[in-house]
Amino acid sequence: MSITSSMPVLRGRGATVLSAVRGGLVLERPGGQVMIPFRAIARVHVEAREVTVELSAPAGAEPSVHRIEEVSAAAAAAFADAVNVLLPAPVEDVDGSALVEVRTFTRTWLQRFRRTLGRVLLGCLGGVLALSVTNAVAGDGPTTVTGALFVAALGALAVVGIGLGAVCVVPWLHETRRRRYGVTVIAEQADGQGTYRYTDGSGTVRAFSHPSPAPSLQACYDPRDPSDVLVLQDRSSRLIDIALGSCFLLAGLGGIAAVVGLVAMTILGRPLLQP
């Protein structure tokens, strides 16, 4: 059995977990993970039920630290003693924070947008259903059911068109804004295909997943939240998305306008479909 596998796993406040793996420590928090190699650590010390992982730093610089609170006091003491024994001899002028890797599992802007868009489209479909029922109730004659079904079908197609248009156009607008206000870096492939690393302005190494075989790619992160990274696409490849997206949006909005007009005509007693 290896030394790291016999170390206690520290569980602290806010679902924070500190554990040892081959070559270093892993600090897990909701939505993220910090990989701390042993060579980046100056020492681990315990104060009551708080464990502090102090990173190495150049002479005169304030060392970076990572903490976990409200852990078992006995487990914390055993963990600190075991880790300190494994630490290599300190090397002068080594910035341990540059060796730390941060992996973020929180939703990026694009993921949040898709989630929000799905909810909006479901709401629109509910509105179309309500308009269809209204058309059926307000109609009169043998074409009432046909008119309601026509409203429902046209409205559903319009919602699909709006969704497709938004998926094409909105990310392009977001990427355009990110190019203007974000920080563009080169992300290098690491740990096999699909995982990339980049270094943000503070020197923190961050990792993200992207389905690409390329050894490197351009990524742009939000300076207010360096974990929110966007892989930039070739602008020429966006032209088709913009053209198709604009057509889908116009068709979808036109379809919604037509549905509202049809229902309004039915309510006013002048349905489009008459017996």
Side-chain angles (χ1 to χ4, degrees):
M1 180 183 295
S2 66
I3 297 177
T4 54
S5 63
S6 63
M7 289 185 189
V9 175
L10 304 182
R11 301 185 183 276
R13 184 173 61 188
T16 305
V17 179
L18 180 63
S19 59
V21 296
R22 184 182 298 273
L25 304 180
V26 179
L27 179 60
E28 299 174 83
R29 299 188 180 96
Q33 187 182 77
V34 182
M35 311 290 294
I36 311 172
F38 286 135
R39 66 182 187 277
I41 303 173
R43 66 185 181 120
V44 178
H45 54 90
V46 181
E47 184 176 348
R49 298 178 60 194
E50 178 180 288
V51 176
T52 301
V53 180
E54 182 180 314
L55 305 183
S56 57
E62 185 71 20
S64 300
V65 297
H66 295 276
R67 291 189 178 91
I68 181 171
E69 301 172 335
E70 297 184 9
V71 300
S72 165
F79 184 88
D81 291 341
V83 172
N84 286 328
V85 169
L86 294 176
L87 297 181
V91 180
E92 294 184 359
D93 296 329
V94 172
D95 185 3
S97 61
L99 303 175
V100 173
E101 179 180 299
V102 179
R103 294 175 180 247
T104 304
F105 306 127
T106 54
R107 291 187 177 91
T108 62
W109 178 91
L110 186 59
Q111 291 171 323
R112 294 194 298 270
F113 161 72
R114 289 172 177 169
R115 186 182 180 89
T116 301
L117 178 62
R119 292 175 176 175
V120 171
L121 294 180
L122 286 176
C124 291
L125 288 175
V128 168
L129 180 61
L131 289 173
S132 177
V133 172
T134 300
N135 191 87
V137 173
D140 186 21
T143 60
T144 299
V145 175
T146 303
L149 292 176
F150 180 76
V151 166
L154 181 59
L157 289 175
V159 171
V160 171
I162 292 174
L164 292 175
V167 167
C168 292
V169 174
V170 176
W172 170 75
L173 294 174
H174 175 67
E175 182 175 320
T176 300
R177 189 176 188 280
R178 178 64 65 83
R179 285 178 183 271
R180 181 176 301 176
Y181 299 106
V183 179
T184 301
V185 294
I186 300 298
E188 302 287 344
Q189 192 177 75
D191 299 334
Q193 183 174 323
T195 302
Y196 292 85
R197 290 195 183 108
Y198 66 99
T199 304
D200 65 19
S202 66
T204 301
V205 179
R206 298 182 179 274
F208 66 95
S209 298
H210 185 73
S212 172
S216 64
L217 43 79
Q218 280 194 343
C220 189
Y221 65 84
D222 186 343
R224 297 170 299 179
D225 181 11
S227 65
D228 187 359
V229 64
L230 177 69
V231 176
L232 301 180
Q233 297 187 21
D234 183 13
R235 295 188 179 185
S236 61
S237 65
R238 281 290 193 184
L239 294 177
I240 297 178
D241 289 344
I242 298 169
L244 289 177
S246 300
C247 293
F248 281 129
L249 278 176
L250 291 175
L253 293 174
I256 292 296
V259 166
V260 172
L262 290 173
V263 175
M265 292 175 63
T266 301
I267 294 174
L268 295 174
R270 294 180 294 175
L272 182 64
L273 297 177
Q274 297 183 359

